[in-house]
Amino acid sequence: MDKLRAKIRDIPDFPKPGILFRDITPLVKDPAALRFTIHQLIHPFVGEDITAVAGMEARGFIFGALAAWELGVGFVPLRKPGKLPYNVQTIDYDLEYGSARLEVHLDALGVGDRVLMVDDLLATGGTARASCSLVESLGAEVAACAFVVELDALEGRQALHGRRVHSLLHY
């Protein structure tokens, strides 16, 4: 994982003073690092009965779509409001600095689906928790959550209420 960690760039004071941003763009720019990341991200779930991967906007789309392709299942985008053209299910949730909303097509998932949730980062866990609830509101089961980076000090794993969580890098 040291090779992978070397591809995460630290940006101090972004997006505001006091924040250390973990930038994944060097990782996704490097084909070998990206391939390694996806393989490690899905490794615990290969051979399991995963029927779909859901990715959280926006960086979750990068890792989620590639994970779905590798697992041979479909990809379901969880979008910000107004981005999906069909009937949607929505969830509103609180963030540490305000509130947000995610949407998914009503017919994206249903009873019998086992979904792997994927995003680049687990911080406070608010977006991940809301995403799991959104998927479950369609009748699907969340099999697990997978993240490239987890910020341990923010305790986002606790917000996921004992769900199965797999993270590649811990800071």
Side-chain angles (χ1 to χ4, degrees):
M1 289 298 158
D2 289 339
K3 284 195 256 181
L4 186 60
R5 188 177 302 275
K7 295 293 181 180
I8 307 289
R9 179 172 38 208
D10 293 343
I11 308 290
D13 299 319
F14 183 84
K16 60 184 185 178
I19 302 291
L20 180 61
F21 186 80
R22 305 293 181 173
D23 180 16
I24 61 154
T25 54
L27 186 151
V28 298
K29 177 183 172 185
D30 181 325
L34 182 57
R35 186 176 304 110
F36 177 76
T37 299
I38 298 304
H39 286 178
Q40 293 302 307
L41 202 59
I42 67 167
H43 179 74
F45 314 108
V46 172
E48 289 192 22
D49 187 24
I50 303 292
T51 61
V53 172
M56 300 154 225
E57 189 160 338
R59 291 178 299 271
F61 294 177
I62 298 167
F63 298 102
L66 291 169
W69 183 76
E70 283 288 335
L71 289 169
V73 299
F75 175 73
V76 177
L78 306 180
R79 302 284 326 252
K80 294 177 182 174
K83 302 289 185 181
L84 293 172
Y86 187 63
N87 298 328
V88 296
Q89 177 76 9
T90 65
I91 189 164
D92 294 304
Y93 61 102
D94 293 324
L95 299 168
E96 59 275 11
Y97 51 84
S99 63
R101 172 180 279 183
L102 285 174
E103 298 181 340
V104 65
H105 278 146
L106 284 174
D107 62 355
L109 298 163
V111 175
D113 281 314
R114 293 191 75 245
V115 182
L116 175 61
M117 310 296 293
V118 173
D119 205 358
D120 69 318
L121 178 71
L122 176 60
T124 64
T127 301
R129 181 178 59 229
S131 296
C132 290
S133 295
L134 184 59
V135 162
E136 290 169 339
S137 75
L138 297 177
E141 174 190 350
V142 173
C145 302
F147 304 94
V148 177
V149 172
E150 182 173 347
L151 304 178
D152 296 333
L154 298 180
E155 300 179 338
R157 191 175 286 249
Q158 290 181 3
L160 295 175
H161 309 299
R163 294 183 187 274
R164 186 173 169 199
V165 176
H166 171 59
S167 299
L168 298 183
L169 298 173
H170 293 263
Y171 289 92

